[in-house]
Amino acid sequence: MKALSPFVVCAALALPTLASAQAAGDRPAETIEEIERGLYFSVLGGPFFIVNPPAAEGPRPFSPGQVAQVEVGLDIGQRLSVGAFLMVASNRAGSEYIGNSGGAASGDFSMLVPGALARFQLVGLADAQDVKRTWIYLRGGAGYAMFRPKQLLPESDILVFAGPGVEYYTRLRHFSVGIEVTGTFLVQSQSFGFAVMPNLRYAF
């Protein structure tokens, strides 16, 4: 009996460890979302065109330019996102464009636009693993447009925009890439425009 005592003691000590290991093994495996959603940050940029830039008199020439935008927002479920943005645009207009300066200034101009936006995912397309990685969406918003130089365009305006886009959620979970075509409208000056913007998005 004494010869068996060490084995009995070892068995008694090992039982709690074995039971704990068994309990750990019974726990369900942690599932990792294929697509991360929540708080996000995105950058957008590309060509930006204004068909009839703001002007009280004189010509309103077609104005090509570039736009860059940063956006911070929150995904509300799978389909809806809301956020805030800051946009910077620079457009060429030529020496004949005098804007609202009455002839005191002419030439190119730029805009700084802070504002808010919303995006709605319309249609999701699944890949071979039945994960909806490609989405067609509609994005729109509004902001307060401030112009430079002030002598050329002294008054601010309201910019509204909307348009469709396509986004692909990569297998890196947090990252997605996309491209969108956006129509723009400056309310007070009745100026129409459009932009084509590739984008990169990171969700936390």
Side-chain angles (χ1 to χ4, degrees):
M1 188 66 182
K2 290 182 179 180
L4 295 175
S5 297
F7 296 101
V8 173
V9 173
C10 289
L13 293 174
L15 280 174
T17 303
L18 291 173
S20 176
Q22 179 65 34
D26 291 340
R27 293 173 187 166
E30 183 180 355
T31 57
I32 298 176
E33 296 291 339
E34 289 286 341
I35 296 173
E36 196 73 28
R37 289 186 172 88
L39 182 66
Y40 69 86
F41 174 81
S42 65
V43 291
L44 308 89
F48 175 46
F49 307 94
I50 300 179
V51 177
N52 54 338
E57 58 181 309
R60 304 178 72 177
F62 181 80
S63 178
Q66 300 83 36
V67 63
Q69 183 173 312
V70 294
E71 176 183 334
V72 177
L74 181 67
D75 295 319
I76 304 173
Q78 188 181 50
R79 292 184 178 269
L80 178 64
S81 303
V82 295
F85 70 89
L86 181 65
M87 185 181 87
V88 178
S90 179
N91 287 77
R92 297 187 297 274
S95 59
E96 73 276 10
Y97 174 68
I98 61 173
N100 295 327
S101 69
S106 64
D108 304 341
F109 62 95
S110 62
M111 284 191 296
L112 177 66
V113 188
L117 56 86
R119 183 175 66 168
F120 186 75
Q121 307 275 40
L122 298 174
V123 180
L125 306 175
D127 63 7
Q129 283 73 45
D130 202 31
V131 177
K132 291 183 178 179
R133 294 190 180 276
T134 303
W135 286 86
I136 299 171
Y137 66 86
L138 182 65
R139 178 173 172 270
Y144 185 70
M146 298 167 282
F147 299 97
R148 291 288 186 275
K150 292 293 287 184
Q151 190 175 17
L152 181 66
L153 293 168
E155 297 179 1
S156 300
D157 208 331
I158 301 297
L159 176 74
V160 295
F161 63 88
V166 178
E167 184 173 30
Y168 175 75
Y169 290 86
T170 71
R171 296 181 184 275
L172 297 177
R173 288 184 54 219
H174 296 273
F175 288 94
S176 64
V177 293
I179 187 168
E180 66 181 56
V181 179
T182 302
T184 63
F185 181 64
L186 289 164
V187 176
Q188 295 180 18
S189 63
Q190 303 287 292
S191 299
F192 295 90
F194 63 95
V196 180
M197 294 191 290
N199 58 73
L200 174 66
R201 184 176 184 269
Y202 181 88
F204 297 89

